[in-house]
Amino acid sequence: MEEEEQQEQLQNLGSLYVFQRIRETQRNYGLQHGDYQRYRTYCYNKINKLRHQMQFTHGKRFQKKVIQDVIKNDPRVLQVLLYQAEKNWAHAMTLKQLINSGVNKKINKRQVKVYLVKKFKRAVQYSKELSTICEQRTEKRTSLESEAYNWYLQGLYHFETEKWEKALESFAKCYTIYEQIIKVCDQFSSGIYQERLEQLNQQIRYCNAKAKRLATLSADELTKMLKDQSDPIMIAKFEEMLEEQRQVKLNQQQGVFEIEYQDTKLPIKNEKVVKLILKIQESKLIGDLDSYTTLFSLYDEASKYVKLDKDQSTSEQEKDIHLKVLGYINYQRQSATLDRNELHIKQYTEKFIKEDGVNNLQNLQTKKAIKLKLTTPQEIIKYCDNYSQILRQIMDEERFNKDITLFKILDAKEFFCKALRCFFVGCLYFTNEKYREAYSLLKYHDDLSRIADRKYVENKLEPHSLLKLLIPLSIQIQNKSKLNGLKLQQEQVKIIGKEIQDIGLEDKQNQKTLFELLDSPEQITLENVLSYKPADLVQLMQPIPPKPIQLDIAHSYLTYPTLEEPKKGGFWGKLNIFKKQ
C-alpha cells in the first residue's frame, strides 16, 4: 500500500531540452575558447546553487543521499543530474588536454589516463540516472534527448577505452535519435541539432575505420545497417514522440507568428518584433501620406531588434533566418516608399489637371505662376525618377526570388512610370518651344501607356487611372505642337526670303577677272562685265631658282691616312702589318 501511495504522489517533471541547455552553457562558460576548467567550475557552482535552493545538503557530517529519492517532484532534480554528468565530462576533458599538451612532463600519463576513464564512467552513470527518470516522468522528447545524451557519453567512454565496435553502436544510436528529433523541431533549433549530427558523422567514420570496416560509409548508411539491430521499443518511442509533438503544434499554432517570404515560412520568436509587424499591418490599412512617417519608424525599430537577435544567435541557421527576416522588412519598407511616391505622383498630376496646366504651359515660368505656386512638370518628373530608382533597387535585391509574378508586376509599374515621365518631359519641351521633340515624346507616351495597360491586364490588375486621364491631354498638346510648329516654319521662311533680298551685287560678283573674260569665248555684255572682278594690277610674286648646292659625292670613295702613332718595329710589328692586309 505504501508503495502505491508513493507512486500516486509522483508528478510529471515537465520538459527539459537537454542538448540546447548544454550547448548554451558550454558556449557561454569557457568552451568557446576550449577552457574546460572554467566550465567545470561553473557546473560545480551551479550544482551547489541548485542544492541550496532545494534545501538538499549533506549536513556537517557527510551522509550520501540520492537526490531523486529524497526530492521527487521538483523538476530541478533533472538539472542537478545533468550538471553532475557535465562536471565529470569537463574534468575528463581537462585531463585529456593535459596529456595531449605535453607541458608538464613529470606527470605519469598512465595514471592520468586511468583517472580520465573513471571520470567518463561517472558521467555515464549520471546520464543513465537522468535518462531513467526522464523516461518515466517527462515528455517523450525530453526522454529521447536524455537517452541520446546517455548514448553519446557511452560512445565517448568506449572511444577512450578503444572499444571501437561498442563506440560505433552507441554513436549510431545517438545519431538516429537526433535525426528523428530534427523532424519535430522548428527551423531555429534544427540547425543546432544539425551541427551535432555533423560532429557524430565524423566520429562514426573514425570508429568505423578503426573497427576495420568500410571506411567510406557515411553515418546515414551505418545507421541503416544498424537499424535491424535496433530495438522495436525505440521505434515505438519515435512514433509516440511524433504524435505528441503534432498535438502540441496543433495546440500552439494559434500562438506562433510566421511570415512568408520568397516561398518560405519564417518563424518570429521575439514578441517585440511580432507586435511591431502587427502595428505595421494596421497602419498600412490607413493609406494616408501622414501614416507613412509612423510606418517607416516602425520598420526601423523592427529591423533594429532583428539585428540584435542575429548578433546574439549562435548557429548559422538562426543567422540565416534572421537575415531573411531582415530582407522581408527591407522589402516591405521599399514597397511602402514606392506606394508613397505613387501617391505623390497622383496628387500632383490631379492638381496639374485641375489648374489647367496644359493650356498654361507657356505661362508656368512667369512671376505670377511662381507666386501662385502652380505645379510644374519638373516636380512630377522628380518623383518619377525616384519611383524608377526604387523599382530598380527592389529588382536587384529580389533577384534570387523564384516568384515570377512579382517581377511581372514590377515590370508593369516600370512601364507606367516611363509613360508618365515621357508625358511630362514632352510638356517641358513644349514650354521651351521645342515642338518637334515634344510631339515625338508624346507619341512615344501613347505607345508606352498602351503597353502598361496590357501588362496590368495580364497580371490581373486594374489599369492605372492616371494613364486614362493623360491620353486626351497628350492629344491636345500634340495638336498644339503641330500648329505652333507650322507657324514657326512660316516665320522662318519669311526671314530667309528677306535675307535673300538684302544680298547686294558684291555677293553676286564672280571670282574671275576681266582679262580672263577677254580670253574666254563668252559674249561681252554689261551684265558679264559687272559680274567679273577688275584686273589685278599688282604683279604677283614669281618663283626664282635658288643658288646651286654642292654635294661631296667622292667622300665615301677616298682613303685618308690614319692619325694614330706609328707602331713599333720588330718581328711582331711586321706580323701586324700582314694582318692589316
Side-chain angles (χ1 to χ4, degrees):
M1 290 293 287
E2 290 179 358
E3 290 178 0
E4 288 178 1
E5 286 178 0
Q6 285 177 359
Q7 286 177 0
E8 285 175 1
Q9 287 175 1
L10 294 174
Q11 295 176 1
N12 192 0
L13 296 174
S15 62
L16 177 70
Y17 298 133
V18 177
F19 181 62
Q20 290 183 17
R21 177 65 67 84
I22 288 165
R23 190 172 177 278
E24 285 175 6
T25 52
Q26 284 179 357
R27 287 181 71 86
N28 293 328
Y29 297 99
L31 288 195
Q32 196 170 4
H33 308 289
D35 193 356
Y36 290 99
Q37 184 62 36
R38 185 187 164 195
Y39 181 60
R40 181 191 163 198
T41 53
Y42 167 76
C43 292
Y44 179 77
N45 294 327
K46 184 75 176 174
I47 291 159
N48 289 333
K49 189 178 178 180
L50 288 166
R51 282 176 179 276
H52 281 292
Q53 284 174 359
M54 293 187 290
Q55 295 178 357
F56 178 76
T57 54
H58 295 288
K60 291 180 180 178
R61 290 184 180 180
F62 180 76
Q63 292 177 356
K64 190 176 181 182
K65 298 175 185 178
V66 180
I67 192 166
Q68 59 267 26
D69 295 337
V70 178
I71 300 166
K72 296 180 179 179
N73 295 325
D74 197 338
R76 287 176 289 188
V77 173
L78 303 176
Q79 292 185 36
V80 171
L81 293 170
L82 179 64
Y83 284 117
Q84 285 279 10
E86 282 292 295
K87 185 186 78 171
N88 286 291
W89 171 79
H91 194 178
M93 292 304 289
T94 50
L95 293 169
K96 195 173 182 180
Q97 272 188 343
L98 187 67
I99 293 164
N100 294 329
S101 63
V103 176
N104 193 356
K105 294 180 180 179
K106 293 180 181 180
I107 59 165
N108 191 351
K109 288 187 179 180
R110 288 185 67 186
Q111 287 181 358
V112 174
K113 182 80 175 178
V114 171
Y115 191 45
L116 183 149
V117 171
K118 279 182 182 179
K119 285 293 167 186
F120 269 121
K121 198 172 182 181
R122 288 291 297 277
V124 170
Q125 285 175 4
Y126 281 114
S127 65
K128 270 186 183 178
E129 289 176 8
L130 179 67
S131 64
T132 51
I133 293 168
C134 289
E135 192 175 357
Q136 294 169 4
R137 300 174 61 192
T138 56
E139 294 177 354
K140 295 294 176 185
R141 181 174 167 179
T142 52
S143 66
L144 282 170
E145 279 202 31
S146 60
E147 197 168 350
Y149 180 63
N150 182 24
W151 284 119
Y152 179 70
L153 289 177
Q154 281 187 27
L156 290 174
Y157 171 69
H158 294 309
F159 190 88
E160 289 298 324
T161 53
E162 296 182 359
K163 294 175 183 177
W164 305 114
E165 290 185 355
K166 288 183 179 180
L168 184 65
E169 286 177 7
S170 55
F171 282 138
K173 284 177 182 178
C174 181
Y175 189 93
T176 50
I177 292 166
Y178 282 132
E179 205 173 21
Q180 294 296 323
I181 289 166
I182 284 170
K183 295 176 183 177
V184 179
C185 295
D186 56 353
Q187 290 183 353
F188 284 105
S189 52
S190 63
I192 298 165
Y193 289 106
Q194 199 68 41
E195 288 177 7
R196 176 50 68 91
L197 286 180
E198 289 173 3
Q199 186 184 354
L200 284 166
N201 193 357
Q202 293 175 359
Q203 288 171 339
I204 286 165
R205 287 173 71 84
Y206 183 80
C207 293
N208 192 26
K210 285 285 183 181
K212 296 180 181 179
R213 295 189 186 182
L214 295 170
T216 55
L217 289 174
S218 63
D220 295 323
E221 291 168 347
L222 284 165
T223 49
K224 284 177 186 177
M225 282 168 61
L226 295 165
K227 200 172 182 181
D228 299 330
Q229 299 175 5
S230 63
D231 299 328
I233 299 162
M234 187 70 72
I235 296 161
K237 280 183 184 178
F238 289 149
E239 289 175 359
E240 284 177 7
M241 182 193 70
L242 288 167
E243 286 178 4
E244 192 177 310
Q245 290 295 324
R246 279 170 199 154
Q247 288 178 357
V248 170
K249 277 188 177 180
L250 287 168
N251 294 328
Q252 292 180 351
Q253 203 165 15
Q254 295 177 355
V256 173
F257 189 81
E258 288 182 342
I259 54 168
E260 194 169 352
Y261 178 62
Q262 293 184 358
D263 297 333
T264 53
K265 287 184 178 180
L266 303 169
I268 298 171
K269 289 185 176 181
N270 196 340
E271 292 179 358
K272 291 179 181 178
V273 178
V274 172
K275 285 177 183 177
L276 287 166
I277 288 167
L278 291 169
K279 281 182 184 177
I280 286 161
Q281 289 173 0
E282 288 171 4
S283 59
K284 267 187 178 180
L285 296 170
I286 300 164
D288 295 333
L289 282 169
D290 297 330
S291 64
Y292 281 101
T293 53
T294 55
L295 190 69
F296 291 132
S297 64
L298 289 169
Y299 278 125
D300 291 334
E301 200 172 350
S303 61
K304 184 179 76 175
Y305 284 122
V306 173
K307 281 175 184 176
L308 284 169
D309 290 338
K310 184 177 77 71
D311 294 335
Q312 289 173 2
S313 59
T314 52
S315 65
E316 291 181 0
Q317 193 163 1
E318 283 183 15
K319 286 180 181 178
D320 291 336
I321 290 162
H322 289 308
L323 281 169
K324 285 178 182 177
V325 172
L326 277 171
Y328 168 78
I329 292 165
N330 193 15
Y331 168 69
Q332 292 292 327
R333 184 192 172 86
Q334 284 180 340
S335 61
T337 51
L338 203 69
D339 295 336
R340 188 184 65 175
N341 274 328
E342 198 169 340
L343 272 172
H344 277 298
I345 290 162
K346 192 176 181 181
Q347 282 186 357
Y348 276 102
T349 47
E350 286 173 355
K351 197 179 174 185
F352 181 78
I353 292 160
K354 280 180 183 178
E355 291 169 357
D356 198 9
V358 174
N359 296 320
N360 297 320
L361 280 170
Q362 292 176 345
N363 301 321
L364 285 172
Q365 293 178 354
T366 58
K367 290 181 180 178
K368 190 177 180 181
I370 293 162
K371 283 181 181 179
L372 292 169
K373 293 182 180 180
L374 298 172
T375 52
T376 57
Q378 290 95 323
E379 292 176 356
I380 302 166
I381 288 163
K382 183 179 74 175
Y383 282 112
C384 288
D385 290 334
N386 291 334
Y387 192 86
S388 62
Q389 189 177 359
I390 294 158
L391 277 171
R392 287 192 207 99
Q393 284 177 2
I394 292 167
M395 285 180 180
D396 189 34
E397 288 179 3
E398 297 293 317
R399 61 187 181 275
F400 298 113
N401 197 344
K402 295 177 183 177
D403 190 10
I404 299 166
T405 54
L406 174 69
F407 291 102
K408 285 181 178 178
I409 291 162
L410 292 171
D411 192 29
K413 285 184 177 181
E414 193 176 5
F415 272 98
F416 157 73
C417 179
K418 281 180 180 178
L420 275 173
R421 193 178 185 282
C422 203
F423 174 80
F424 287 105
V425 171
C427 292
L428 200 65
Y429 274 111
F430 186 82
T431 54
N432 294 323
E433 295 182 356
K434 294 181 178 179
Y435 301 112
R436 192 179 292 171
E437 289 86 350
Y439 181 77
S440 60
L441 280 165
L442 290 165
K443 277 282 182 187
Y444 187 51
H445 158 261
D446 294 340
D447 297 334
L448 287 170
S449 60
R450 285 191 209 99
I451 294 162
D453 287 335
R454 193 184 70 229
K455 293 207 171 198
Y456 269 101
V457 172
E458 283 175 1
N459 294 311
K460 298 177 181 179
L461 297 168
E462 290 184 2
H464 214 283
S465 59
L466 286 176
L467 295 174
K468 291 178 182 178
L469 290 170
L470 293 175
I471 286 165
L473 297 176
S474 69
I475 293 163
Q476 191 178 347
I477 297 166
Q478 283 174 32
N479 295 327
K480 280 187 176 183
S481 59
K482 275 183 184 178
L483 289 168
N484 291 329
L486 288 168
K487 285 178 184 177
L488 268 176
Q489 283 180 0
Q490 288 175 1
E491 287 175 1
Q492 285 175 359
V493 167
K494 286 178 183 178
I495 291 161
I496 290 161
K498 285 180 182 178
E499 287 177 356
I500 290 164
Q501 286 176 4
D502 294 336
I503 294 168
L505 291 170
E506 291 178 358
D507 296 330
K508 293 179 182 178
Q509 281 183 349
N510 203 341
Q511 297 296 323
K512 291 181 180 179
T513 60
L514 290 169
F515 289 108
E516 289 174 353
L517 179 64
L518 293 169
D519 294 330
S520 65
E522 290 180 4
Q523 291 182 357
I524 298 168
T525 58
L526 185 63
E527 290 180 357
N528 287 334
V529 171
L530 291 169
S531 64
Y532 282 84
K533 282 184 180 182
D536 293 324
L537 299 173
V538 180
Q539 289 185 0
L540 296 170
M541 292 180 71
Q542 292 180 357
I544 299 166
K547 291 180 181 181
I549 298 166
Q550 293 180 357
L551 299 170
D552 194 359
I553 300 165
H555 176 73
S556 57
Y557 294 100
L558 294 171
T559 55
Y560 296 98
T562 58
L563 297 174
E564 295 176 358
E565 293 180 359
K567 293 183 180 180
K568 294 178 181 180
F571 179 72
W572 297 108
K574 289 175 183 178
L575 286 173
N576 287 330
I577 292 161
F578 288 116
K579 279 182 185 177
K580 278 187 179 179
Q581 291 177 359

